[in-house]
Amino acid sequence: MSPRAQSRGLTRKMENENLYQYILGIADNSLILGQRLGELCGHGPSLETDIALTNISLDLFGQVRSYYQYASKVAGNDRDEDTIAMKRPEREYVNVLLVEQPNTDFGYVMARQFLFDVYHFMFLTELQNSKDMTLAAIAKKSIKEVSYHLRFSSDWIKRLGDGTEESHKRIQNAINDLWTYTDELFHQTDADKKMIADGIGVDTSKFKEQYYKQISNVLDEATLEVPDLKYFQKGGKQGIHTEHMGYILAELQYMQRAYPNMEW
Amino acid sequence: MSEAQIKSLEEEFEARIARDEKIEPKDWMPEKYRKTHIRQMSQHAHSEIVGMLPEGNWITRAPSLRRKVALLAKVQDEGGHGLYLYSATETLGITRDEMFEQLHSGKAKYSSIFNYPAITWADMGAIGWLVDGAAIINQVALCGTSFGPYARAMVRICKEESFHQRQGYEITLKLAQGTPEQKAMAQDALDRWWWPSLMMFGPKDDESPNTVQSMKWKLKRKTNDELRQQFVDQTVPQAESIGLTIPDPDLKWNEEKQGYDFGEIDWDEFWQVVKGHGPCNKERMKARVSAWENGQWVRDAAMAYAEKQQLRKEKQAV
């Protein structure tokens, strides 16, 4: 191979690596949030919420499959969707810290969902315009589901905020505790920046203000306070997670680790 | 109402059922009919939601994304069946909260099968294949039952259940065709779930007190033993065709009756589990009760919010 062809090959490999990382950056959020919601199945406060949360988990895993199947194609090696989902070491998962936070109570579950849904909806709205046709198509399909998630979680924030004294206190606590993880949603990795420059990725900085505005509107209607916090947590996008993550992966990866290289 | 009037209503009621007419919630019905239906239908609804637990337990550990999605969808269906059946039962004049109260206090029963633990992935196959398989045999018979809301619920539920059964069989098939380790996992699951599945059809006919009345009201079209025989005859060839062995040394084909003879069920175990002392009875109830108690503040909030919204609306109207 000529040096030039070799360098062309290398460039393509780099581009693919950026795209691959970019897809994981989107999909891992849905994977880990879906996994958290999956823990709740059969334990919801009412049959209706139980079914709805399971449904959201199901939607998220459906989206995850589309993303990883595409990532597998981009990687062009023997990594299939399950290898990508279940066989990476913890440091290679790039989901934000918000989605790995535990199901402390229904308030935390809804606050986590709401803080993510507002972002997710805005993100997918933009991703529909991606130059990458596959990502645009996944976004188009997913946004219908996510608009339902957003309505569901926003409604519950209002119900809990403007419900009883106890529910008001609980949801305010949850929002306060999880607020510290919101800023990370807008951090951009090197792969993100490269993909934005190529017209494939979404420039999240464009809707950051809008994100906080929509959230404060809902919190306002729910008679809740917008936390006044200056310090935020980060690390998930670099694969540095909270201590919860290992346990999530222990369950997620259990079968693939205990019985490697088998078909199910 | 005089006794003679009641008697005439009862006669007309039984005649309607005999003519295969459906009884609807607002129709007159004997008190015993109402009570029997509340008991059976709520028991059925409870079985659906308690049944979410052993499978829900495997959602986070499903071996592939495809299996995870299918399992989530299945457990969600079960929640949907529960919701549907509770609503159908409410038409008989009992609230869902009252039914939950009966479940949590132990007054109402649910299917004993869910008091067995789901300990390996192969159990997801066995539950779908055997447990849903047995449930369908019971439920197909109920599609023609006399109480309209119950019959209609069954028609819809049966469609989804048969999908679940195929899914469970397919999980088992995949394992049976897999590595020796996977095949052993599938056989182990069949060994553990076979007898409890046979128990799902209830006591033997001569020990089943409700059969005669239930037959008359079409709550039953076949007896426990007939349904059990149907299940065995249907399932044995399915096991054989994927190379698994039914754990019953007495099982053999009976040419004369054109069905299988099979060994004796351990009725001591059956009654032990029914009476609340199976491997998971306490855990299952604890999970349901704690979901309910931990959810109280959420349900209270939803109620308070709805009331506030209503008040606001009324104020605006004024």
Side-chain angles (χ1 to χ4, degrees):
Chain A
M1 209 187 285
S2 73
R4 189 181 284 175
Q6 214 168 10
S7 108
R8 264 208 309 270
L10 202 65
T11 317
R12 191 160 56 235
K13 204 176 149 206
M14 277 301 295
E15 272 170 18
N16 279 355
E17 184 56 30
N18 281 327
L19 179 57
Y20 179 75
Q21 281 303 326
Y22 188 70
I23 301 168
L24 296 192
I26 308 170
D28 285 359
N29 287 338
S30 296
L31 175 77
I32 301 302
L33 185 55
Q35 185 75 2
R36 272 294 190 216
L37 294 172
E39 293 171 14
L40 291 167
C41 192
H43 305 279
S46 68
L47 205 38
E48 286 83 353
T49 47
D50 206 318
I51 293 170
L53 290 176
T54 308
N55 198 44
I56 294 174
S57 175
L58 192 54
D59 286 343
L60 291 171
F61 279 116
Q63 295 165 16
V64 163
R65 292 194 68 194
S66 305
Y67 287 124
Y68 287 161
Q69 282 164 10
Y70 182 40
S72 160
K73 219 187 275 174
V74 170
N77 51 28
D78 57 0
R79 273 177 282 184
D80 65 7
E81 56 171 308
D82 292 323
T83 314
I84 299 173
M86 299 174 183
K87 284 207 164 162
R88 279 178 282 157
E90 179 174 329
R91 289 284 275 105
E92 288 177 22
Y93 285 84
V94 289
N95 56 281
V96 292
L97 302 179
L98 174 66
V99 294
E100 66 198 53
Q101 298 311 304
N103 301 321
T104 308
D105 68 12
F106 188 76
Y108 278 80
V109 171
M110 275 305 117
R112 182 184 64 204
Q113 193 65 39
F114 171 63
L115 295 173
F116 182 71
D117 288 343
V118 176
Y119 166 83
H120 200 191
F121 185 81
M122 291 178 180
F123 178 84
L124 291 175
T125 304
E126 294 302 317
L127 191 65
Q128 293 179 102
N129 306 321
S130 171
K131 272 190 192 163
D132 184 302
M133 299 310 277
T134 311
L135 287 180
I138 299 173
K140 219 173 213 124
K141 183 181 163 287
S142 307
I143 199 160
K144 290 183 198 141
E145 297 165 346
V146 173
S147 72
Y148 163 77
H149 304 171
L150 177 59
R151 205 176 65 207
F152 180 79
S153 59
S154 304
D155 284 351
W156 271 105
I157 296 296
K158 291 176 207 162
R159 268 188 211 113
L160 297 177
D162 196 14
T164 63
E165 207 176 307
E166 183 183 5
S167 71
H168 179 90
K169 211 168 107 191
R170 280 182 185 250
I171 191 65
Q172 183 71 64
N173 275 345
I175 293 278
N176 291 351
D177 275 2
L178 295 174
W179 196 256
T180 189
Y181 301 109
T182 52
D183 188 65
E184 192 194 8
L185 289 163
F186 299 93
H187 287 206
Q188 292 178 356
T189 64
D190 290 344
D192 291 345
K193 285 175 191 153
K194 187 75 188 48
M195 288 297 103
I196 293 165
D198 289 355
I200 291 173
V202 171
D203 186 356
T204 50
S205 67
K206 282 190 182 153
F207 58 80
K208 186 173 178 178
E209 206 175 308
Q210 197 194 337
Y211 169 84
Y212 283 107
K213 192 157 179 265
Q214 185 172 337
I215 286 182
S216 52
N217 285 345
V218 174
L219 293 184
D220 200 41
E221 203 185 321
T223 70
L224 293 165
E225 308 244 326
V226 178
D228 179 22
L229 190 76
K230 301 281 183 299
Y231 300 100
F232 293 96
Q233 300 302 317
K234 59 178 191 290
K237 288 191 171 182
Q238 278 70 42
I240 303 168
H241 293 277
T242 59
E243 289 180 351
H244 305 297
M245 188 68 174
Y247 296 95
I248 298 176
L249 295 184
E251 290 190 19
L252 177 70
Q253 300 186 339
Y254 167 59
M255 291 296 289
Q256 289 281 343
R257 297 284 185 203
Y259 305 93
N261 308 319
M262 297 183 198
E263 289 193 21
W264 303 96
Chain B
M1 215 180 292
S2 74
E3 259 180 56
Q5 277 172 313
I6 291 178
K7 197 160 167 31
S8 124
L9 278 170
E10 272 175 6
E11 275 165 16
E12 172 51 21
F13 179 82
E14 299 293 346
R16 286 183 64 194
I17 292 180
R19 288 195 301 269
D20 252 338
E21 280 176 34
K22 291 280 177 259
I23 305 302
E24 296 301 333
K26 285 186 177 157
D27 297 346
W28 183 89
M29 61 184 77
E31 205 40 38
K32 195 173 171 214
Y33 181 90
R34 183 188 304 275
K35 282 200 173 125
T36 303
H37 277 77
I38 288 177
R39 182 172 57 85
Q40 179 163 334
M41 290 168 69
S42 66
Q43 185 171 318
H44 195 157
H46 297 328
S47 300
E48 296 282 359
I49 57 156
V50 177
M52 293 169 80
L53 298 171
E55 290 178 292
N57 179 32
W58 273 91
I59 286 171
T60 57
R61 290 176 295 167
S64 70
L65 290 175
R66 184 172 83 92
R67 293 295 186 199
K68 198 191 281 284
V69 166
L71 186 60
L72 270 163
K74 185 189 175 204
V75 182
Q76 192 196 16
D77 281 350
E78 281 156 11
H81 296 170
L83 198 55
Y84 205 56
L85 283 163
Y86 283 124
S87 306
T89 315
E90 283 184 309
T91 66
L92 289 165
I94 182 169
T95 66
R96 206 201 297 179
D97 283 8
E98 284 168 331
M99 289 185 262
F100 278 150
E101 197 348 77
Q102 292 178 350
L103 172 69
H104 298 158
S105 70
K107 191 183 163 218
K109 298 270 181 253
Y110 57 89
S111 180
S112 272
I113 193 79
F114 301 118
N115 292 316
Y116 288 86
I119 53 179
T120 73
W121 171 250
D123 291 15
M124 297 304 99
I127 291 176
W129 172 31
L130 304 172
V131 175
D132 289 320
I136 293 169
I137 288 181
N138 273 325
Q139 289 167 5
V140 163
L142 284 171
C143 291
T145 195
S146 61
F147 186 53
Y150 196 28
R152 288 188 289 274
M154 281 302 111
V155 171
R156 186 171 140 171
I157 289 172
C158 274
K159 281 185 197 151
E160 289 179 352
E161 292 288 0
S162 86
F163 181 73
H164 297 165
Q165 194 207 3
R166 280 203 298 276
Q167 188 174 295
Y169 188 62
E170 203 257 328
I171 290 175
T172 311
L173 168 74
K174 193 83 185 170
L175 295 173
Q177 292 171 337
T179 63
E181 228 173 341
Q182 285 174 304
K183 192 171 174 180
M185 198 191 279
Q187 182 63 52
D188 169 63
L190 174 58
D191 291 348
R192 284 180 290 107
W193 289 94
W194 174 254
W195 291 105
S197 298
L198 293 192
M199 293 176 197
M200 282 177 72
F201 298 95
K204 283 192 201 175
D205 291 348
D206 46 18
E207 286 166 31
S208 177
N210 300 319
T211 296
V212 178
Q213 182 66 80
S214 295
M215 287 277 203
K216 216 159 99 190
W217 287 339
K218 299 180 178 164
L219 259 175
K220 269 189 178 170
R221 313 301 291 250
K222 288 179 182 172
T223 69
N224 293 355
D225 286 334
E226 284 169 341
L227 293 169
R228 190 162 18 238
Q229 182 69 49
Q230 191 184 329
F231 175 74
V232 172
D233 292 344
Q234 165 187 310
T235 312
V236 172
Q238 291 171 348
E240 280 171 355
S241 83
I242 55 174
L244 296 180
T245 311
I246 302 281
D248 179 359
D250 297 325
L251 184 83
K252 64 171 190 292
W253 178 253
N254 182 329
E255 191 58 35
E256 201 180 320
K257 77 171 183 188
Q258 285 294 300
Y260 286 91
D261 290 333
F262 51 94
E264 187 66 19
I265 286 169
D266 180 349
W267 293 109
D268 290 340
E269 178 181 320
F270 173 84
W271 288 112
Q272 178 175 337
V273 184
V274 169
K275 286 175 183 161
H277 306 286
C280 300
N281 294 58
K282 292 193 174 62
E283 270 172 87
R284 300 290 185 240
M285 247 340 84
K286 216 167 122 189
R288 284 312 318 163
V289 171
S290 82
W292 184 249
E293 287 174 353
N294 293 335
Q296 187 65 49
W297 70 272
V298 178
R299 298 190 302 276
D300 289 347
M303 196 63 87
Y305 179 76
E307 280 164 13
K308 284 185 201 174
Q309 290 296 96
Q310 185 62 32
L311 270 177
R312 274 173 207 146
K313 223 192 250 169
E314 281 165 16
K315 252 187 206 162
Q316 265 173 3
V318 171

